[in-house]
Amino acid sequence: MTQIKIVGDIWTGKYQPALTGNRIVDTALLTQFCAKLTAWLAQQNIKLSVKIEHEFSLSDSADDDTLYLIDSNIVAAFPKDLLRKVNYLSIKHQNFLHGDPSANYHAVSKRLEVSLKQQQ
């Protein structure tokens, strides 16, 4: 993995889900989520870029170097066969609403571990 992208709302395309319906609030919540996740990764000596992905599209996201953390409501809206092409973890909607990634640290750690082993 070279980066993590956070998908909690989507601004373009046919399907444009939002966390709260207010772009400013949504961006602030996702920014807080990213900052906390970045700080935790740094404590683990993991240097990965963590960014918000507002332009998410499954057809453009088949990148093995990116781990997508996607809102569970968004995951539920996409066909499973298309999701298989993307390296992602489903994140509870409430975790994004609270800007708190702590419930996902273990899953992120495990996914990064698996990715590291595959690269060796």
Side-chain angles (χ1 to χ4, degrees), residues 2-102:
T2 59
Q3 64 182 341
I4 296 175
K5 291 189 177 180
I6 308 301
V7 181
D9 65 347
I10 301 174
W11 291 358
T12 59
K14 290 186 227 176
Y15 180 58
Q16 295 185 17
L19 285 175
T20 67
N22 181 320
R23 277 192 182 186
I24 295 169
V25 171
D26 291 355
T27 300
L29 292 170
L30 294 173
T31 299
Q32 180 179 344
F33 188 96
C34 285
K36 288 180 178 181
L37 181 58
T38 300
W40 177 79
L41 288 168
Q43 290 174 345
Q44 311 308 308
N45 294 319
I46 300 170
K47 295 181 182 188
L48 289 178
S49 166
V50 180
K51 297 186 263 188
I52 300 169
E53 178 62 76
H54 292 295
E55 311 297 322
F56 182 74
S57 164
L58 280 175
S59 60
D60 298 335
S61 302
D63 178 1
D64 290 338
D65 289 340
T66 301
L67 173 59
Y68 291 92
L69 303 185
I70 306 174
D71 185 307
S72 59
N73 292 349
I74 295 173
V75 168
F78 285 111
K80 298 291 181 220
D81 60 323
L82 290 178
L83 281 169
R84 286 189 190 111
K85 299 175 185 176
V86 179
N87 187 15
Y88 78 96
L89 288 172
S90 180
I91 306 300
K92 288 183 181 177
H93 185 75
Q94 288 298 110
N95 293 342
F96 282 134
L97 281 177
H98 295 150
D100 185 8
S102 62

